[in-house]
Amino acid sequence: MTKPVLFAVDDDPEVLKAVERDLRQQYGERYRVMRAGSGASALSALDQLRRRNRAVALLLVDQRMPRMTGVELLEQAAPIFPDAKRVLLTAYADTDAAIRAINEAHVDYYLTKPWDPPAEHLYPVLDDLLGDWLASFRPPFEGVRVIGNRWSPRSFELRDFLSRHQVPYQWLDIESDPEAQRLGALAAAEVGGNGNGTAAPEARKGEQAVSASPLSLPIVVFPDGTHLLAPSRAQVVEKLGLRTQAGSRFYDVIIVGGGPAGLAAAVYGASEGLRTLMVEREAPGGQAGTSSRIENYLGFPQGLSGADLARRAVAQAARFGVEILTPQEVTGVRLEDPYRIITLSDASEVSCHALVVATGVSYRKLDIPGIDRLTDAGVYYGAALTEAMACKGEDVYLVGGANSAGQAAMYFSRYARRATMLVRGDSLGARMSHYLVEQIEKTANIEVRLGTSVVGVHGGACLEAIDIANAATGAVTTEPARSLFIFIGAQPRTDWLAGIVERDAHGFLLAGRDLMRSGRQPQGWPLERDPFLLETSVPGIFVAGDVCSGSVKRVATAVGAGSITISFVHQHLARL
C-alpha cells in the first residue's frame, strides 16, 4: 500500500527544511513526507495527489505566508482532503488568529514556533492527531478509475474492456458520486482554461455543481494522476501498455482467437516447442470469458467463472512463452506457399507455416426497430457482468434459453429484485444443461416465461420499457425495463476468410470429413493426402472451437479441439 502523506507548507526555506527533517525522523517509515513553499504550489500538489487517489493524513501549514495565509490554504484544501488533520504553525503574536481558526475554519490544532524539542512539543500532538486519523482511515483504491454515466455506451464499453482484460478499476458515477463530480470538475477546469494543469479556484468553490460535459465522458484517471477524456480504445491500450504488435515477422503457428480453443492451442503449441503467436480481437477468454459461472468443467467441482478460466489459461500460455497480441484484429490472410501471411488491423503483416482459426462466435443481434440506439445503454449482448451491481433491486430481463442465458440469470438473481428469462421455445431443457435447469427452478427470484420474445424497445437516453409477445396467444404487453441482456444465436466472424477457405451457408468453417464430397477431396486441394480432421480446404489452415461447422458449443469440446489441432499442425510441419 502507498504510504499516506504528511504535507508541510511554509514560505521560509529554513523553517520548511526543519519541519520536513523532524517529520521524516519520527514518521518517515510509515508516512511519505512532502513539502511546498507557497499556498498555490501546495494546492497544485494536493490536486495531483487526489487525482492519483493518494491519502493525505496531515497538513502542517504556516500562518504567515504572502498572497495566501495558512488559514486560507487550509480552507481551500478542505474539500480536496476533507479527512486530513489540519495543524497551523503560528508565531506567538498570532495566537488569537489561531484560536479563531480553530473555531471558524475547523483547524484541529495550532503550534507556536519554535517547537524544539520536537519530542516534547511536536510529536505528542501529531501522534494524537494521526492516531485519530488512522482509526477511521480506509486505504484508497490504487488503480484505474473510470468516471462516467451508467447509461453512456462509451462508459460501458470501457468498463467492459477493462474487466475482460483483468485490469482492476474503480467505477465512479458522475450523477451520484461526489468524488466523481470533484474529479470531473478538475478535468473540466484543466481543459477550460488556466492552462497549467491544475483546477482553477472557481472550480474548487463549486465542485459538486460542476461536471464534465457529456461529450467528455468517460474520464479515465490513471494511478500516475494523468487522465484521458473520452479516450479511444487505442489510447487506453497504449496507456495500459497492452501488446498489439508482434515481436517477430515469422512464427511456426499463429492462432487467431483467444477463447478456450485458441488458448488451448496456444498452450499445447508453445509447450511442444513451437514458436507461437496468439491474436485476440477483444480479450482473452472469448465468449466463455464473460460467463459468470461454469459448473460442469472437468476438474473444478465448485465451478469457476469464465474470467478465472481465462486468467489461468493466459498465465499458463505466458509461462510457456506464447506471445499474445490483444486487443488486435486479423483483417485478412494470403497464401505464399509454404507461408500463410496474416494482415493485422494496423496494416502490419506476420507470416507462419500453420494458422489455427479459433475466432468463436458472437451473439446474434435482436432485429427490432430502435434497438441499436439503446445498445450498451440498457440493452446488452452477453452477460455484461459489469452491470450486475448497478442492477441491485431492479428487474432485469434476459433473452435466450441456452447455458449462457441460464448462467447469467443465476448471477443476476444475486443482485436484481427479479430476473425474468424470455425463452422462445417451450422448454428450458432443450438447450440448457440439466444441472442449470434445476438451479433456476429452485431460485425464487428467477421467472421463466416460455414461448415469449421481445418485439419492441422504448427509451430516450436509456432503455425504459420493452414489448413482450406471447407466441401462443399473440398478445403483446409493454413492461418497464432498465436492463435487457440478449443471448441468442451464434454468429461467426469469418468474412476475412471469404474466398480463401470453404464455409457453410452460415459462415462457419468446413474442415476434415465435411470437406470430402462423395469421398473426393475439396476442389483445388493441392496435396495427395486428404485434409486432416480439423484442417480447412487450405493445407496448413486449421480450425478449432465454435467457429467450426457442426461444433458442440461447449467449453470442454473447444479446449479439446484446440489441443488436438496442434497434433495436426505438427504433422503438417513435418511434411513441409
Side-chain angles (χ1 to χ4, degrees):
M1 184 186 72
T2 304
K3 293 178 181 179
V5 173
L6 307 182
F7 206 112
V9 187
D10 200 306
D11 66 313
D12 186 324
E14 293 302 318
V15 174
L16 186 58
K17 185 177 180 180
V19 172
E20 182 184 25
R21 177 202 65 215
D22 290 342
L23 291 178
R24 288 187 188 280
Q25 182 176 326
Q26 182 72 3
Y27 303 107
E29 292 185 3
R30 293 168 290 163
Y31 297 88
R32 177 188 177 190
V33 179
M34 295 182 64
R35 65 179 184 176
S38 69
S41 60
L43 288 173
S44 176
L46 290 172
D47 279 338
Q48 286 297 319
L49 287 170
R50 191 55 185 260
R51 194 170 298 174
R52 295 176 186 175
N53 218 20
R54 303 294 188 255
V56 173
L58 175 75
L59 294 167
L60 185 60
V61 179
D62 184 52
Q63 167 63 7
R64 287 192 177 185
M65 294 189 296
R67 291 183 292 277
M68 185 184 299
T69 68
V71 170
E72 291 171 338
L73 169 57
L74 291 174
E75 286 177 336
Q76 292 197 42
I80 306 175
F81 288 100
D83 298 326
K85 296 300 181 181
R86 297 183 283 277
V87 177
L88 198 65
L89 279 177
T90 68
Y92 182 78
D94 295 326
T95 302
D96 290 342
I99 293 174
R100 286 196 302 272
I102 291 175
N103 295 329
E104 298 173 8
H106 305 292
V107 172
D108 293 293
Y109 206 89
Y110 76 90
L111 290 169
T112 56
K113 298 185 288 186
W115 56 86
D116 290 330
E120 293 182 18
H121 302 301
L122 179 65
Y123 299 148
V125 172
L126 299 189
D127 286 345
D128 285 344
L129 292 174
L130 292 174
D132 289 344
W133 182 84
L134 284 170
S136 58
F137 171 59
R138 298 294 179 269
F141 174 79
E142 296 182 9
V144 176
R145 287 173 291 166
V146 179
I147 302 161
N149 182 305
R150 177 185 174 185
W151 306 117
S152 161
R154 296 187 71 173
S155 296
F156 167 77
E157 289 167 6
L158 177 61
R159 288 186 293 140
D160 190 58
F161 173 82
L162 294 174
S163 294
R164 297 194 62 190
H165 279 85
Q166 311 280 322
V167 177
Y169 74 93
Q170 182 183 46
W171 165 247
L172 303 172
D173 194 319
I174 202 163
E175 292 189 345
S176 59
D177 192 311
E179 175 68 1
Q181 294 163 358
R182 198 198 68 79
L183 289 171
L186 287 175
E190 188 168 309
V191 172
N194 63 3
N196 62 3
T198 62
E202 303 91 277
R204 284 197 194 91
K205 293 175 184 176
E207 285 167 355
Q208 295 196 11
V210 181
S211 65
S213 141
L215 295 177
S216 299
L217 296 177
I219 302 170
V220 188
V221 184
F222 296 93
D224 63 0
T226 60
H227 69 269
L228 295 172
L229 301 180
S232 66
R233 190 167 76 167
Q235 288 176 300
V236 176
V237 166
E238 181 181 3
K239 184 67 179 177
L240 293 175
L242 297 177
R243 187 166 188 170
T244 59
Q245 294 184 332
S248 175
R249 297 290 301 275
F250 172 79
Y251 296 84
D252 296 319
V253 59
I254 294 177
I255 298 153
V256 184
L263 285 165
V267 167
Y268 275 82
S271 68
E272 295 175 12
L274 299 180
R275 189 170 187 185
T276 305
L277 175 71
M278 188 181 81
V279 185
E280 166 54 39
R281 187 176 67 92
E282 293 181 350
Q287 194 179 98
T290 67
S291 177
S292 56
R293 204 73 184 163
I294 303 170
E295 296 194 56
N296 58 355
Y297 190 67
L298 187 66
F300 293 88
Q302 302 303 317
L304 79 167
S305 69
D308 283 341
L309 178 64
R311 175 181 54 79
R312 292 167 182 255
V314 168
Q316 193 174 17
R319 185 167 68 87
F320 286 120
V322 177
E323 191 174 321
I324 300 175
L325 305 187
T326 179
Q328 179 59 276
E329 186 172 7
V330 177
T331 58
V333 61
R334 58 189 177 87
L335 310 176
E336 290 185 7
D337 283 333
Y339 302 105
R340 280 80 186 97
I341 303 170
I342 61 169
T343 303
L344 302 176
S345 58
D346 60 5
S348 62
E349 292 187 335
V350 190
S351 64
C352 60
H353 280 321
L355 181 67
V356 177
V357 181
T359 49
V361 294
S362 302
Y363 291 113
R364 184 164 51 83
K365 296 294 182 72
L366 196 60
D367 187 18
I368 54 178
I371 197 166
D372 289 343
R373 183 175 54 83
L374 296 172
T375 298
D376 296 338
V379 176
Y380 308 99
Y381 290 91
L385 302 182
T386 53
E387 293 300 299
M389 289 298 294
C391 295
K392 190 172 183 178
E394 298 180 359
D395 291 349
V396 302
Y397 292 83
L398 304 99
V399 179
N403 275 11
S404 53
Q407 290 162 348
M410 290 298 301
Y411 183 76
F412 282 107
S413 69
R414 294 159 50 185
Y415 303 95
R417 186 179 73 90
R418 182 179 60 187
T420 300
M421 297 186 67
L422 304 175
V423 183
R424 184 185 295 272
D426 57 6
S427 169
L428 272 185
R431 298 174 56 214
M432 189 180 296
S433 297
H434 180 67
Y435 82 90
L436 198 50
V437 175
E438 288 187 325
Q439 288 182 359
I440 290 171
E441 291 174 344
K442 294 176 182 177
T443 305
N445 65 332
I446 295 181
E447 178 185 357
V448 179
R449 300 186 193 176
L450 301 174
T452 57
S453 58
V454 175
V455 295
V457 292
H458 308 279
C462 62
L463 180 68
E464 297 173 6
I466 59 175
D467 295 332
I468 303 173
N470 186 300
T473 65
V476 176
T477 59
T478 300
E479 300 186 16
R482 303 281 276 178
S483 299
L484 176 68
F485 301 91
I486 300 169
F487 307 82
I488 57 173
Q491 184 174 339
R493 293 179 177 268
T494 57
D495 289 346
W496 61 282
L497 289 164
I500 304 293
V501 301
E502 291 192 24
R503 303 182 294 169
D504 67 15
H506 303 287
F508 292 91
L509 301 186
L510 296 169
R513 287 174 296 190
D514 290 338
L515 291 167
M516 305 293 289
R517 297 180 179 85
S518 303
R520 287 182 292 183
Q521 294 175 340
Q523 185 177 3
W525 180 257
L527 305 179
E528 292 184 6
R529 66 167 177 85
D530 292 341
F532 294 130
L533 177 64
L534 294 172
E535 194 170 26
T536 68
S537 58
V538 175
I541 297 183
F542 302 86
V543 60
D546 292 357
V547 73
C548 185
S549 180
S551 61
V552 180
K553 310 294 188 294
R554 288 290 187 268
V555 172
T557 55
V559 170
S563 59
I564 291 172
T565 301
I566 297 302
S567 68
F568 298 124
V569 168
H570 279 297
Q571 294 181 57
H572 169 73
L573 295 177
R575 300 186 185 206
L576 289 179

